[in-house]
């Protein structure tokens, strides 16, 4: 939410990323050279910009994470480990973080030529550029770093008052307003990456242009080619400081619009692609299963959550089935009504929706019923989701048997849907609303799975509630039009829909606030998706209770000493959001049927940031297709090693406290 890396563009139950194609060691893995030194697959969304401190969409983050390093990164177990910083210290009051840069941190041009050393001042330049350009990701740090909010809001024009300092050439220091146990995980986001001031000045407005020479490189790869709706290629940076951990020499990705799902496995069988996302509903799947039955794997669900949204404040009607102002007004009033939104929520069969991409047998594997994943953090002996679930049950009997557990279908309930709609209709008729309510929903016409999912959603809602009550009007659009009025829309005025499933959200850092703060009406990073401009349209926010929601998230954010209490407070906000039905969670990334020659679990792992499984550093390839048995054994081994490694990392944290 891409997500906005972390606002995510929907691709029809996600394609295979490095994360899905990666899983734990193999004797056949490659360390460079030969057939295993090139990774080939597809990508689905072109980055509009490579200005990584300003643009905060996954289309940019997934690329830049391979090209530019920050102070810290993730290892294969999700631990935060040194990157451009070789060491770091935190003050006893947990408000001052000091990082020491490695001597071999360098900037390179797209040709691989050394440009300059990476210095502490580059991190100051990066944050100042983000602030001056009003970065989409300012929500991440504006209320964290001393003086930054005042600078951004124009209360100060002196950036030296902001709590980021170059102590010397190799030492950068951040001063926070309050302790943040998850601060280091924020350093894996582009807004805190460095920028060379001389290069920035030389490029001017062209800095971050989506071309190889639009940025400098400090990461494992160089961008060698980017052709819109055609191809995206990286080559290994031979002078990278950690080149020994970069096994794949070349990455070659071809643009894929979703129009021919069978082409993925066909190209895999022909040796063109390193892996393939499988689609069980395609005509050839039976033969694919017969040929590769012992090789189909399902990766774990990851932190990215896709969801539907209601538009509370629609003003654009270029794509609509409505013919009168009365119909427009009736739809708006219906969307304001919580009982109506809950009726849609309960009438929406996610299992059938997910089956369009995952197949009926594996549809449940990808389901997610909450914005924040069930196991994202623990609250004592309980998962975050179980605590939120108990709180949700207090909102009414309709929620008592709903589980907020991944891979379970408990939201779909026709009886509840009809009961909630009956309450909504009685209220709305008294307000003069015309029925049926028409909900305009854009659909990406070239993507076969997205078209099928939209049809499934329409069928389940209309069959449960009746077309005399609700009609989903599907509008099939070309890719550019579809994304421009949904995913790439910057303001509510550009949202041309009543309901949309075009986007999702991936976590930026390891704290529930990374999900739940995005719908704060005053500054939420994704609140424009539901029709509210941050800091504006507060009257609309109040109509649906988002002002109360923000009070809950702000109270949780203010709890910096008792982590258990903080998480419990955020779990209450999660429950409120679920009850509001302003968003309709559908499924996660991962957990889709896949074939791969990537060594299981050899890539970086993380719930959050842009230095996790979306990157190709650490990833190894093997000659043979991974078998289901080998993958499951590798997964079990990785889970055991991860638990041990994470526990040790928590113990080692004390070594960094001054």
């Amino acid at each position: 939410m891409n997500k906005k890396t972390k606002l995510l563009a929907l691709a029809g139950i996600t394609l295979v990323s490095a994360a899905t194609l990666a899983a734990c060691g193999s004797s056949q893995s490659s360390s460079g050279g030969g057939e295993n030194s090139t990774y080939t697959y597809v990508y689905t969304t072109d980055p509009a910009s490579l200005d990584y401190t300003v643009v905060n969409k996954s289309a940019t983050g997934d690329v830049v994470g391979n090209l530019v390093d920050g102070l810290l990164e993730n290892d294969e177990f999700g631990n935060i480990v040194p990157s451009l910083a070789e060491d770091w210290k935190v003050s006893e009051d947990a408000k001052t973080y000091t990082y020491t840069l490695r001597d071999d941190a360098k900037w390179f041009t797209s040709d691989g030529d050394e440009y300059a050393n990476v210095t502490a001042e580059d991190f100051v330049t990066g944050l100042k550029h983000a602030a001056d350009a009003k970065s989409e990701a300012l929500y991440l740090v504006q209320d964290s770093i001393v003086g930054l909010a005042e600078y951004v809001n124009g209360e100060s024009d002196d950036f030296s008052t902001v709590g980021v300092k170059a102590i010397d050439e190799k030492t950068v220091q951040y001063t926070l307003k309050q302790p943040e146990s998850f601060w280091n995980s924020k350093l894996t986001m582009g807004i805190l990456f460095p920028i060379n001031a001389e290069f920035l000045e030389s490029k001017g407005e062209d800095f971050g242009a989506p071309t190889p020479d639009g940025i400098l490189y400090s990461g494992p790869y160089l961008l060698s080619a980017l052709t819109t709706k055609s191809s995206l290629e990286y080559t290994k940076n031979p002078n990278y400081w950690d080149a020994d951990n970069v096994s794949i020499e070349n990455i070659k990705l071809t643009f894929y619009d979703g129009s021919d799902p069978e082409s993925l496995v066909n190209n895999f069988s022909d040796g063109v692609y390193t892996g393939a996302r499988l689609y069980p509903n395609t005509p050839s799947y039976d033969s694919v299963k017969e040929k590769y039955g012992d090789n189909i794997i399902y990766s774990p669900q990851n932190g990215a959550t896709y969801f539907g949204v209601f538009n509370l404040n629609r003003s654009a009607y270029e794509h609509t089935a409505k013919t009168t102002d009365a119909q427009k007004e009736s739809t708006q009033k219906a969307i304001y009504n919580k009982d109506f939104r809950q009726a849609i929520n309960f009438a929406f069969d996610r299992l059938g929706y997910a089956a369009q991409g995952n197949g009926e047998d594996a549809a449940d594997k990808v389901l997610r019923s909450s914005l924040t994943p069930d196991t994202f953090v623990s609250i004592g002996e309980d998962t975050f989701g179980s605590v939120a679930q108990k709180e949700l049950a207090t909102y009414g009997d309709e929620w008592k048997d709903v589980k907020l557990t991944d891979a379970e279908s408990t939201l779909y309930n026709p009886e509840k849907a009809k009961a909630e709609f009956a309450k909504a209709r009685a209220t709305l008729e008294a307000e003069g609303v015309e029925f049926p309510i028409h909900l305009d929903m854009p659909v990406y016409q070239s993507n076969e799975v997205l078209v099928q999912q939209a049809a499934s959603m329409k069928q389940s809602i209309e069959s449960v509630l009746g077309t005399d009550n609700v009609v989903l009007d599907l509008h099939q659009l070309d890719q550019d039009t579809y994304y421009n009025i949904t995913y790439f829309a910057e303001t509510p005025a550009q949202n041309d829909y009543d309901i949309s499933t075009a986007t999702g959200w991936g976590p930026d850092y390891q704290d529930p606030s990374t999900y739940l703060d995005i719908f704060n009406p005053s500054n939420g990073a994704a609140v424009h998706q539901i029709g509210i401009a941050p800091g504006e349209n507060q009257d609309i926010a109040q109509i649906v209770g988002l002002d109360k929601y923000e009070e809950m998230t702000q109270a949780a954010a203010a709890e910096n000493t008792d982590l258990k209490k903080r998480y419990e407070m955020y779990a209450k906000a999660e429950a409120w959001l679920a009850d509001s039905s302003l968003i309709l969670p559908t499924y996660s990334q991962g957990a889709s049927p896949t074939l791969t020659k990537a060594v299981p679990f050899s890539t970086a792992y993380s719930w959050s940031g842009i230095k996790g499984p979306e990157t190709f550093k650490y990833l190894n390839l093997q000659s043979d297709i991974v078998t289901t048995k080998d993958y499951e054994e590798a997964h079990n081994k990785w889970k055991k090693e991860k638990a041990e490694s994470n526990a040790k990392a928590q113990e080692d944290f004390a070594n960094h406290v001054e």
Side-chain angles (χ1 to χ4, degrees), residues 152-460:
V152 170
N153 295 331
E155 298 170 31
S156 168
D157 59 3
D158 182 3
F159 195 76
S160 68
T161 61
V162 177
V164 56
K165 309 292 182 188
I167 305 302
D168 56 42
E169 188 173 284
K170 293 295 182 182
T171 309
V172 60
Q173 186 176 86
Y174 293 89
T175 303
L176 309 184
K177 293 180 179 179
Q178 62 278 321
E180 289 186 1
S181 60
F182 47 89
W183 168 255
N184 275 342
S185 65
K186 288 187 175 183
L187 298 178
T188 64
M189 288 296 292
I191 190 172
L192 293 172
F193 283 10
I195 294 178
N196 178 277
E198 180 182 344
F199 183 80
L200 177 65
E201 183 177 1
S202 71
K203 299 299 289 187
E205 293 184 357
D206 290 332
F207 177 79
T211 58
D213 63 354
I215 60 170
L216 289 178
Y217 301 79
S218 61
Y221 289 96
L222 308 171
L223 180 64
S224 50
L226 173 55
T227 303
T228 301
K229 291 185 175 60
S230 177
S231 63
L232 177 60
E233 298 184 18
Y234 312 129
T235 56
K236 180 178 177 179
N237 181 354
N239 299 308
Y240 177 55
W241 67 269
D242 197 21
D244 289 345
N245 280 315
V246 184
S247 299
I248 301 175
E249 301 281 343
N250 301 289
I251 313 292
K252 297 183 178 181
L253 307 177
T254 302
F255 181 76
Y256 173 68
D257 66 2
S259 60
D260 184 8
E262 291 178 297
S263 67
L264 302 178
V265 68
N266 291 339
N267 279 318
F268 175 80
S269 296
D270 292 342
V272 177
Y273 291 161
T274 301
R277 164 72 162 85
L278 303 179
Y279 291 91
N281 293 341
T282 54
S284 67
Y285 186 70
D286 286 344
S287 62
V288 170
K289 193 172 182 179
E290 182 177 352
K291 181 177 181 179
Y292 295 114
D294 294 333
N295 303 102
I296 298 173
I297 64 172
Y298 293 86
S299 67
Q301 291 179 271
N302 69 17
T305 301
Y306 290 96
F307 47 80
V309 292
F310 287 101
N311 186 357
L312 298 168
N313 185 27
R314 185 176 181 184
S315 60
Y317 287 93
E318 291 186 27
H319 307 284
T320 184
K322 298 178 180 66
T323 56
T324 67
D325 289 341
Q327 288 180 336
K328 296 176 183 177
E329 184 179 352
S330 292
T331 298
Q332 205 73 76
K333 287 181 177 180
I335 289 174
Y336 286 163
N337 185 287
K338 185 172 75 168
D339 293 326
F340 175 83
R341 298 193 304 270
Q342 287 185 348
I344 299 295
N345 201 358
F346 289 128
F348 178 16
D349 180 8
R350 273 85 162 177
L351 201 61
Y353 183 82
Q356 306 309 311
N358 251 32
E360 290 185 6
D361 293 342
D364 59 338
K365 290 180 182 293
V366 76
L367 293 181
R368 177 161 291 157
S369 299
S370 54
L371 178 59
T372 310
D374 170 39
T375 59
F376 185 62
V377 295
S378 296
I379 304 178
E381 298 296 320
D382 298 319
T383 65
F384 181 84
S386 65
V387 175
Q389 182 179 312
K390 291 176 184 176
E391 182 68 24
L392 178 60
T394 68
Y395 277 85
D397 290 343
E398 67 270 26
W399 299 109
K400 291 192 183 302
D401 57 351
V402 170
K403 295 182 180 179
L404 301 184
T405 307
D406 278 352
E408 290 201 45
S409 176
T410 61
L411 281 170
Y412 177 60
N413 190 306
E415 290 185 4
K416 290 181 184 178
K418 292 173 182 177
E420 294 303 320
F421 189 83
K423 290 190 290 183
R425 178 150 189 157
T427 301
L428 293 172
E429 282 181 334
E431 296 176 3
V433 165
E434 292 183 3
F435 290 89
I437 302 298
H438 283 268
L439 296 171
D440 292 316
M441 179 174 165
V443 182
Y444 178 5
Q445 65 186 11
S446 297
N447 191 307
E448 294 180 18
V449 174
L450 293 185
V451 171
Q452 292 163 0
Q453 287 179 336
S456 173
M457 184 177 183
K458 174 181 173 69
Q459 191 278 331
S460 70

Side-chain angles (χ1 to χ4, degrees), residues 67 69 145 328 336 338 391 419 458 477 490 553 567 581 597 601 627:
L67 311 178
D69 277 359
I145 299 173
K328 296 176 183 177
Y336 286 163
K338 185 172 75 168
E391 182 68 24
K458 174 181 173 69
L477 308 171
E490 298 288 344
T553 59
Y567 290 170
S581 296
K597 289 185 177 181
F601 300 98
T627 67

